[in-house]
Amino acid sequence: MQNLSKNQQIIFDLIDKSPEPLKAYSILFNVQKRGIKAPLQVYRALDKLVEIGKIHKIESRNAFIACQNSSCQISKATAFSICESCEKVTEINNSNLSKYLTGFKDKNGMKYNKYNLEFFGLCKKCVSKKS
Amino acid sequence: MQNLSKNQQIIFDLIDKSPEPLKAYSILFNVQKRGIKAPLQVYRALDKLVEIGKIHKIESRNAFIACQNSSCQISKATAFSICESCEKVTEINNSNLSKYLTGFKDKNGMKYNKYNLEFFGLCKKCVSKKS
DNA sequence: TACAAAATGTTATATTATAACAATTTAACT
DNA sequence: AGTTAAATTGTTATAATATAACATTTTGTA
Ligand SMILES: [Zn+2]
Ligand SMILES: [Zn+2]
Ligand SMILES: [Zn+2]
Ligand SMILES: [Zn+2]
């Protein structure tokens, strides 16, 4: 478990304390006062943080959240729930699900080493608002 | 089952006959000879085609493929296998998987009405190349 | 200290996607 | 056929997301 570099730490801290997924340019804006001035500095840190599993990219939103699953140090099996109304994103930590998907074999014989799953719906809060 | 408009048909035909996912600007380039000149014309057709389930967006690639599953008219339960070497993408049609995921309930009580799953690995061809 | 790997800094540019507004076509209803 | 609303199209401009290329600095390690 390596330590984070300066830029990586700054950007991880920001994402980790955010209650919602952050987009790259929103991150850039927020860390400019800390000396990170260019998009590439942000993207490089994001790439590394994703690679080591400290954050995940929510592909459908082009946004990043801190890993909420302590055992998920390498991002090879990720699942999220996304509220289509308030955009709240939660990482799903369900061993039944991860076992099922990790063991899944398609009929084409391809063996998978990674997956990403995104569920969409309405969170409890938003469901009750609409009823 | 509505008919497609002119632009929608042109763009669907292109995607449908492509052996690989197509990106929006690659589509634009390819349909310019047919009178579609602006990105927005492409994106609007793509949006509609996704909405009615004729094509799917591969989120991790920002690319689009025709639905390979005749029963998948509304894109609410999609799963794909993606080769990380040759980038071949296949839509997975597995009733066991779709049943499992459609019925999946998280402990937070959120009920999902849609999901997208992307598996990554090496296709048979690419596995044998490397061995 | 010397070396290699990783990280940083910087400018420019590529790629993906939407805003805003006007005009035209299509479909449904008198 | 005439009226109307919805969907689609056309067009220009711009926003948002992401990478290329190159030089320099820092870090870990022999
Ligand atoms: Zn995680
Ligand atoms: Zn919500
Ligand atoms: Zn499909
Ligand atoms: Zn392959």
Side-chain angles (χ1 to χ4, degrees), chain A residues 83-108:
Chain A
C83 176
E84 289 181 304
S85 174
C86 70
E87 293 294 325
K88 178 171 174 54
V89 174
T90 308
E91 185 167 1
I92 294 173
N93 183 7
N94 182 298
S95 62
N96 202 320
L97 176 66
S98 59
K99 260 181 220 157
Y100 182 86
L101 292 177
T102 301
F104 181 78
K105 283 188 187 59
D106 194 13
K107 57 185 169 230
N108 67 17

Side-chain angles (χ1 to χ4, degrees), chain B residues 23-25 39-40 43-44 57 62 64:
Chain B
K23 303 192 144 222
Y25 278 71
L40 200 44
Y43 280 104
R44 282 195 288 224
K57 181 173 187 181
N62 296 320
F64 300 84

Side-chain angles (χ1 to χ4, degrees), chain A:
Chain A
M1 177 54 187
Q2 61 202 296
N3 289 325
L4 300 180
S5 74
K6 179 171 138 280
N7 287 1
Q8 288 159 15
Q9 188 70 57
I10 291 170
I11 287 171
F12 175 71
D13 287 345
L14 181 69
I15 295 172
D16 192 40
K17 71 168 201 267
S18 169
E20 59 195 3
L22 294 178
K23 302 191 147 226
Y25 277 72
S26 153
I27 292 168
L28 175 59
F29 178 81
N30 276 283
V31 298
Q32 277 177 331
K33 54 175 119 29
R34 306 203 53 187
I36 296 176
K37 290 171 191 161
L40 199 43
Q41 294 175 291
V42 173
Y43 280 105
R44 282 195 287 224
L46 290 173
D47 284 350
K48 188 69 182 182
L49 291 167
V50 166
E51 183 192 327
I52 64 179
K54 299 281 288 180
I55 66 172
H56 302 302
K57 182 173 187 181
I58 308 301
E59 292 286 356
S60 64
R61 300 298 186 261
N62 296 321
F64 300 85
I65 66 169
C67 179
Q68 294 161 30
N69 172 355
S70 59
S71 71
C72 182
Q73 288 305 319
I74 302 171
S75 309
K76 298 215 160 177
T78 49
F80 306 94
S81 78
I82 304 171
C83 176
E84 289 181 304
S85 174
C86 70
E87 293 294 325
K88 178 171 174 54
V89 174
T90 308
E91 185 167 1
I92 294 173
N93 183 7
N94 182 298
S95 62
N96 202 320
L97 176 66
S98 59
K99 260 181 220 157
Y100 182 86
L101 292 177
T102 301
F104 181 78
K105 283 188 187 59
D106 194 13
K107 57 185 169 230
N108 67 17
M110 184 165 163
K111 184 58 173 58
Y112 307 118
N113 60 44
K114 197 168 113 187
Y115 68 78
N116 180 58
L117 171 59
E118 297 181 2
F119 282 105
F120 305 89
L122 293 177
C123 73
K124 273 180 163 176
K125 224 167 155 181
C126 290
V127 167
S128 57
K129 267 181 203 161
K130 310 223 160 158
S131 64

Side-chain angles (χ1 to χ4, degrees), chain B residues 55-106:
Chain B
I55 66 172
H56 303 303
K57 181 173 187 181
I58 307 301
E59 293 287 356
S60 65
R61 299 298 186 261
N62 296 320
F64 300 84
I65 66 168
C67 178
Q68 294 160 33
N69 174 354
S70 59
S71 70
C72 182
Q73 287 304 319
I74 302 171
S75 309
K76 297 216 159 173
T78 49
F80 306 94
S81 77
I82 302 171
C83 176
E84 289 181 304
S85 174
C86 70
E87 292 293 326
K88 179 172 172 52
V89 174
T90 308
E91 184 167 1
I92 294 173
N93 183 6
N94 183 299
S95 63
N96 202 319
L97 175 67
S98 59
K99 260 181 222 159
Y100 182 87
L101 292 177
T102 302
F104 181 78
K105 283 189 186 57
D106 194 12

